Amino acid sequence: MAEYILQLQCADQSGIIHAVASGLLDCQANIVEQAQFSDPDLTQFCLRTRFETDMQDIEAVEAAINAHVQRFNPRLQLRHSNDHRKVLILVSKFDHCLEDLLYHYSIGDLPIDIATIVSNHEDCRASAEAHAIPFIYLPVTPETKNDQEQKIIELVAEHNIDYVVLARYMQILSANICQQLSGQIVNIHHSFLPGFVGAKPYHQAYERGVKMIGATSHFVTPDLDEGPIIDQDIQRVGHSQTVDNLVSIGRDVERRVLTRTVGLLAEDRVFLVGRRTVIFA
Amino acid sequence: MAEYILQLQCADQSGIIHAVASGLLDCQANIVEQAQFSDPDLTQFCLRTRFETDMQDIEAVEAAINAHVQRFNPRLQLRHSNDHRKVLILVSKFDHCLEDLLYHYSIGDLPIDIATIVSNHEDCRASAEAHAIPFIYLPVTPETKNDQEQKIIELVAEHNIDYVVLARYMQILSANICQQLSGQIVNIHHSFLPGFVGAKPYHQAYERGVKMIGATSHFVTPDLDEGPIIDQDIQRVGHSQTVDNLVSIGRDVERRVLTRTVGLLAEDRVFLVGRRTVIFA
Amino acid sequence: MAEYILQLQCADQSGIIHAVASGLLDCQANIVEQAQFSDPDLTQFCLRTRFETDMQDIEAVEAAINAHVQRFNPRLQLRHSNDHRKVLILVSKFDHCLEDLLYHYSIGDLPIDIATIVSNHEDCRASAEAHAIPFIYLPVTPETKNDQEQKIIELVAEHNIDYVVLARYMQILSANICQQLSGQIVNIHHSFLPGFVGAKPYHQAYERGVKMIGATSHFVTPDLDEGPIIDQDIQRVGHSQTVDNLVSIGRDVERRVLTRTVGLLAEDRVFLVGRRTVIFA
Amino acid sequence: MAEYILQLQCADQSGIIHAVASGLLDCQANIVEQAQFSDPDLTQFCLRTRFETDMQDIEAVEAAINAHVQRFNPRLQLRHSNDHRKVLILVSKFDHCLEDLLYHYSIGDLPIDIATIVSNHEDCRASAEAHAIPFIYLPVTPETKNDQEQKIIELVAEHNIDYVVLARYMQILSANICQQLSGQIVNIHHSFLPGFVGAKPYHQAYERGVKMIGATSHFVTPDLDEGPIIDQDIQRVGHSQTVDNLVSIGRDVERRVLTRTVGLLAEDRVFLVGRRTVIFA
């Protein structure tokens, strides 16, 4: 038996689930897990199905499904459930998110392939190499920024990258790369958005005397810190915590949210619907 | 347009979703929200679907679906989504869970009908009457226990009760009523099960010096405190909390979990599968 | 034995704890619980002590302590631990926070005296009267706003009110009353500040697609939504929740945070230090 | 200025805080942070004080304090706040707790010295060596168990170890070593104690259908899984999680609780009082 995961998204209308089910029936498939949601505002239909079938040929399976659903003109993705999403990680100097991704990857908790790690600094080279992952040093200056982003876009194409993960990458991406890789770049913001946008959120949080600090993962769009939110988490803090304590506690929240987000992406549980996301967790 | 909620549960096999979708297509229905899960151990298939259709006649809709699914011999429940589940509440002296249910009910947060409130004490009569809900005083002694339970069973039949909610009801139900109303009785246990089964869990928790206390809602089975868990929650506590503080904090956790549980039941989001539950939250 | 709670706040310097302890020793007091914190930025010293002594005369106890600490020129508050803080509640139409305060008050969970409930609407009169608490209807128009606030200030003086609790009070207080009752007014903001300041935060949260919604209690200052934060809490939400669902979930977070906040105030656990608070929970 | 942390524990009685404050006054010390609690059942007094003074000689400071407090016969510990607690880590094959401790240690988040890592397997040698920490392989068989524990006791003495941290160490310690190192050994239990004591807690949790799984850190006593609890945390789970998922989620809860626990110990925030702990967090 082969197991597949199907993601399907299109304008909502009657008969989509029947059409998908008809396609799966033609494959004599058994549905293991299925979730569906129709966004009431944008009337976007989102479906995730995990199913088993004797058909080993993924193209034949996709053709069988498409025979029924193509009239809905959907965005359709099909994969073997044990195939891995391909990821490119961008990092700067702070390594806590990278290390957490690498650890979960190394023990088999994150079903992804990390094609390469790109950084504008050399600091994380050893971490990459310890996991036998290619490390590419692409320094950024105002003059080289465009070239560097162009190189990233080429790497995405070359390695068939599904997702670019910004693991505390301290450069603001241009509108150009955000649009070219729309829906493929995810970021961890070290704040509970929409509070404390911008720089030094832990200093802001300390000054404001908040009792919880948080982190937010989101898709990257040209509007800085305004991309669709994927996940958030918080940690309770108190008056005795210094800014350094908040930074330290924040690191753990950031890595937890980002690793969980990459896990959701790895299992095709995330749909992008306008400015919001649909998550079948 | 009428909106319906369908719950369907049966032995897992290929083609169920297609059959349901075929039935819905015959009704020209549009699926708004659908979740499905197949328990891998018991191979039980669970499906919840919320859909819209022009067909106002629920029996015609059910017949259309049944025409396709009856060969799977499912347990099938269909209702208008704005019909309310009918609830009978059992309570003793502590009123915090009852009051929270009544408050959320009164402001329209809990889409249920409370047919009657039964108690072995008179304490909560005023609360019931303040909400114009019939209050029935059924005292319990070793001699009257069977009669009292028989009366409850009759009330359930008379009012077409969907769920009996034990809102801190301090009597142990007999195996007889547990079996007759199997899958219909839910309880709030004032502990994070399976820790601290039995009486005085907050005293046990204090003695043990736990750093979190919790509450657990579960279906009631003849095995005391061993019924399938529906929901749980916890609250952090510390060394300075006395037993009385734990009881006080516990009250808020209990009512929160029970109210949330009744909300899940009210929206047909709970499936009972062997010793476990499937919750489409 | 009498039990007292002492709150002391002053500019930080060496010898304060020794001075307090000397005063308590003169009373042959036994310290049950003590917490101290010095804010490193504002160098404000905060101390909360709960102690037992045979001295029943609170003025004698205060004199004994003052003999040692008056040279630090502190803000000092001493009370019998079983005396209650006096509270005035302001409410508009939404009653969920008020009802939760009243419920916890009625079962003895909140050691406060509610001197009166003031509202710009008649809706909550019945709730107040059900608990035998005076209800004062003070409608607000642009013309009467000053008079209404003046009346509140008079009530605070008349009843020796410690804290004015805004339980979803939908009027913006003037700078005048905020300054006159500085450090005495607390509000529940239906958002996880500093995100979503201003009106309709749940609509904002829905549009932004957040995965958690929260509530924040804070002291009221002339800067709207910018007062020092006392407590915060959040609840996880998902894509399927509508704005109405967020409002409903938010209600429970709001009342939980506000009731907890009033409990902290009732036990003298809150210190106001510049734009931040020190909480000895 | 030198900064010190004082831990003091003794039978509760009047005058202890005054005596400590008198000692600190003799050192012209300024108290930065102080917390005190008296256990009402065991009447044990616990005090933690962080203070600054010009006196650089720790023995002189201790003598000054002792001159005032020795009549209470306390357990007293004094250290420079930037001295590090010395830790010996015991580990078997699972490395997630060890790796998390090492990561936080490496970036300066955990102010401890890891004197050595001892294991009954060779698996974690590379991790230890990557951080330049001595790794000692002490295999355990029924015949060698006593010798191995004796060797651990010798290492504790030789390196002046403050705490032995069991980072998922899969051997049950003998009553002998538990008693000899009483109050010095901490363990992470992969369950929300007291639920699911013993082996395979995640399998138990899955069978029971719990909606939250947890982890518990505790002092090790001869009563397996019954030692005083230091910290606990939980993570929400659902019906779709397999046992493997629970194990994976559990790993993150375990490491989070254990790292936080070691941080509390590193800052002298933990007191052992009978079967309970007092934590000044």
Side-chain angles (χ1 to χ4, degrees), chain D residues 90-104:
Chain D
L90 275 167
V91 68
S92 291
K93 291 186 171 188
F94 297 125
D95 69 352
H96 53 283
C97 287
L98 175 66
E99 287 291 342
D100 203 52
L101 290 170
L102 290 174
Y103 179 72
H104 285 87

Side-chain angles (χ1 to χ4, degrees), chain B residues 24-43:
Chain B
L24 295 178
L25 206 59
D26 289 351
C27 304
Q28 293 189 284
N30 189 41
I31 296 173
V32 179
E33 188 185 358
Q34 176 160 305
Q36 177 269 330
F37 181 75
S38 293
D39 184 86
D41 302 318
L42 301 179
T43 59

Side-chain angles (χ1 to χ4, degrees), chain D residues 3 5 58 78-85 111-113 266:
Chain D
E3 192 184 75
I5 296 174
I58 191 169
L78 183 72
R79 61 178 252 222
H80 280 106
S81 67
N82 50 12
D83 276 357
H84 286 185
R85 289 287 170 214
I112 55 171
D113 290 340

Side-chain angles (χ1 to χ4, degrees), chain A residues 243-258:
Chain A
V243 172
D244 282 353
N245 294 150
L246 298 191
V247 169
S248 165
I249 292 166
R251 273 195 289 261
D252 281 359
V253 185
E254 292 164 21
R255 67 174 193 172
R256 185 161 78 227
V257 173
L258 186 61

Side-chain angles (χ1 to χ4, degrees), chain B:
Chain B
M1 292 281 273
E3 192 185 75
Y4 297 90
I5 297 174
L6 170 72
Q7 263 198 332
L8 184 146
Q9 185 170 349
C10 59
D12 194 17
Q13 51 204 295
S14 188
I16 308 173
I17 286 183
H18 183 267
V20 172
S22 299
L24 295 178
L25 206 59
D26 289 351
C27 304
Q28 293 189 284
N30 189 41
I31 296 173
V32 179
E33 188 185 358
Q34 176 160 305
Q36 177 269 330
F37 181 75
S38 293
D39 184 86
D41 302 318
L42 301 179
T43 59
Q44 276 281 302
F45 173 95
C46 304
L47 174 78
R48 178 186 185 271
T49 302
R50 184 162 59 91
F51 61 91
E52 301 166 325
T53 169
D54 281 326
M55 290 173 63
Q56 302 291 334
D57 179 358
I58 191 170
E59 290 180 16
V61 174
E62 185 158 345
I65 297 169
N66 253 326
H68 292 268
V69 302
Q70 62 193 2
R71 64 190 164 102
F72 301 111
N73 195 26
R75 174 178 175 281
L76 183 150
Q77 291 196 78
L78 184 72
R79 61 176 251 226
H80 280 105
S81 67
N82 49 13
D83 278 356
H84 286 185
R85 288 287 171 215
K86 285 193 181 51
V87 168
L88 181 155
I89 299 177
L90 275 168
V91 69
S92 292
K93 291 188 171 186
F94 297 126
D95 69 351
H96 53 285
C97 287
L98 175 66
E99 287 292 342
D100 204 52
L101 290 170
L102 290 175
Y103 179 72
H104 286 87
Y105 163 79
S106 72
I107 64 169
D109 257 5
L110 270 186
I112 55 172
D113 290 340
I114 304 178
T116 188
I117 295 171
V118 173
S119 181
N120 56 334
H121 295 280
E122 287 280 12
D123 303 61
C124 295
R125 178 180 293 277
S127 298
E129 292 177 352
H131 290 85
I133 297 169
F135 179 87
I136 303 178
Y137 171 52
L138 291 178
V140 177
T141 63
E143 293 74 33
T144 63
K145 189 179 175 73
N146 279 348
D147 293 348
Q148 189 247 21
E149 289 191 350
Q150 194 51 45
K151 178 68 180 161
I152 293 169
I153 291 169
E154 289 168 18
L155 286 167
V156 167
E158 176 188 343
H159 293 285
N160 285 315
I161 297 298
D162 295 295
Y163 293 108
V164 174
V165 176
L166 310 190
R168 294 300 309 276
Y169 181 63
M170 308 304 276
Q171 293 286 325
I172 295 171
L173 298 184
S174 71
N176 174 45
I177 190 170
C178 292
Q179 279 151 2
Q180 284 207 45
L181 302 178
S182 175
Q184 289 186 272
I185 314 179
V186 294
N187 183 42
I188 180 71
H189 191 271
H190 47 323
S191 158
F192 194 79
L193 292 175
F196 307 127
V197 296
K200 289 194 174 277
Y202 295 120
H203 289 77
Q204 293 181 52
Y206 178 84
E207 292 297 326
R208 190 66 182 82
V210 296
K211 300 304 184 187
M212 289 177 163
I213 56 169
T216 304
S217 66
H218 61 94
F219 283 108
V220 174
T221 61
D223 290 332
L224 185 66
D225 298 342
E226 288 292 324
I229 291 169
I230 302 171
D231 201 3
Q232 306 189 282
D233 209 343
I234 56 92
Q235 180 71 37
R236 191 167 278 273
V237 296
H239 58 263
S240 66
Q241 259 99 22
T242 62
V243 172
D244 282 352
N245 295 150
L246 298 191
V247 169
S248 166
I249 293 166
R251 274 195 288 261
D252 280 359
V253 185
E254 292 163 21
R255 69 175 191 169
R256 185 161 79 228
V257 173
L258 185 61
T259 297
R260 200 162 59 196
T261 295
V262 173
L264 292 168
L265 294 167
E267 296 185 344
D268 289 348
R269 297 185 178 279
V270 182
F271 292 73
L272 181 51
V273 180
R275 288 188 62 208
R276 296 158 46 87
T277 61
V278 169
I279 315 282
F280 295 130

Side-chain angles (χ1 to χ4, degrees), chain C residues 6 16 34 77 101 152 169 180 202 209 232 234 257 279:
Chain C
L6 170 71
I16 307 173
Q34 177 160 306
Q77 291 197 79
L101 290 170
I152 292 169
Y169 181 62
Q180 284 206 45
Y202 295 119
Q232 307 189 283
I234 57 93
V257 173
I279 314 283

Side-chain angles (χ1 to χ4, degrees), chain A residues 101-116:
Chain A
L101 290 170
L102 290 175
Y103 179 73
H104 286 88
Y105 163 78
S106 72
I107 64 170
D109 257 4
L110 270 185
I112 55 172
D113 290 340
I114 304 177
T116 187

Side-chain angles (χ1 to χ4, degrees), chain C:
Chain C
M1 293 281 273
E3 193 184 74
Y4 297 90
I5 296 175
L6 170 71
Q7 263 197 332
L8 184 147
Q9 186 170 350
C10 59
D12 194 17
Q13 50 204 296
S14 187
I16 307 173
I17 286 183
H18 183 267
V20 172
S22 299
L24 296 177
L25 205 60
D26 289 352
C27 304
Q28 294 190 284
N30 190 41
I31 296 173
V32 180
E33 188 184 359
Q34 177 160 306
Q36 178 269 330
F37 181 73
S38 292
D39 183 87
D41 302 319
L42 301 178
T43 59
Q44 276 281 301
F45 173 95
C46 303
L47 174 78
R48 179 188 185 269
T49 303
R50 184 162 58 93
F51 60 91
E52 302 166 325
T53 169
D54 281 326
M55 290 173 64
Q56 303 291 333
D57 179 359
I58 191 169
E59 291 181 15
V61 174
E62 186 159 344
I65 296 168
N66 253 327
H68 292 268
V69 304
Q70 62 194 2
R71 63 190 165 103
F72 302 111
N73 196 26
R75 176 178 174 279
L76 184 150
Q77 291 197 79
L78 183 72
R79 61 178 250 224
H80 279 107
S81 68
N82 49 13
D83 278 355
H84 286 185
R85 288 288 170 215
K86 287 193 180 50
V87 168
L88 182 155
I89 299 177
L90 275 168
V91 69
S92 292
K93 292 187 170 186
F94 297 126
D95 69 351
H96 53 284
C97 287
L98 175 67
E99 287 292 342
D100 204 51
L101 290 170
L102 290 175
Y103 179 72
H104 286 87
Y105 163 78
S106 73
I107 64 169
D109 256 5
L110 271 185
I112 54 172
D113 290 340
I114 304 178
T116 188
I117 296 170
V118 173
S119 181
N120 56 332
H121 294 281
E122 286 280 12
D123 304 61
C124 295
R125 180 181 291 277
S127 297
E129 292 177 354
H131 291 84
I133 297 168
F135 179 87
I136 303 179
Y137 170 51
L138 291 179
V140 177
T141 64
E143 293 74 33
T144 63
K145 190 179 174 74
N146 278 347
D147 292 347
Q148 190 246 22
E149 289 191 351
Q150 195 52 44
K151 177 70 181 160
I152 292 169
I153 291 168
E154 289 168 17
L155 287 167
V156 166
E158 177 189 341
H159 293 284
N160 286 313
I161 297 296
D162 295 295
Y163 293 107
V164 174
V165 176
L166 310 191
R168 294 302 309 277
Y169 181 62
M170 309 304 275
Q171 293 286 325
I172 295 172
L173 298 185
S174 71
N176 174 46
I177 190 170
C178 292
Q179 278 151 3
Q180 284 206 45
L181 302 178
S182 175
Q184 289 187 272
I185 314 179
V186 295
N187 183 42
I188 180 71
H189 191 271
H190 46 323
S191 158
F192 194 78
L193 292 176
F196 307 127
V197 296
K200 289 193 173 278
Y202 295 119
H203 288 77
Q204 294 182 52
Y206 178 83
E207 293 296 326
R208 190 65 183 81
V210 296
K211 301 304 184 188
M212 291 176 163
I213 56 169
T216 305
S217 65
H218 60 93
F219 283 107
V220 175
T221 61
D223 290 332
L224 186 67
D225 298 343
E226 288 292 323
I229 291 170
I230 302 170
D231 202 3
Q232 307 189 283
D233 209 345
I234 57 93
Q235 179 72 36
R236 190 168 278 274
V237 297
H239 57 264
S240 66
Q241 258 99 21
T242 62
V243 172
D244 282 351
N245 295 150
L246 298 192
V247 169
S248 166
I249 292 166
R251 273 195 289 261
D252 281 359
V253 185
E254 292 163 22
R255 67 175 192 171
R256 185 160 79 227
V257 173
L258 185 62
T259 296
R260 200 162 57 195
T261 295
V262 173
L264 292 169
L265 294 168
E267 297 185 344
D268 289 349
R269 296 184 178 278
V270 181
F271 292 74
L272 181 50
V273 180
R275 288 187 62 207
R276 296 158 45 88
T277 60
V278 168
I279 314 283
F280 295 130

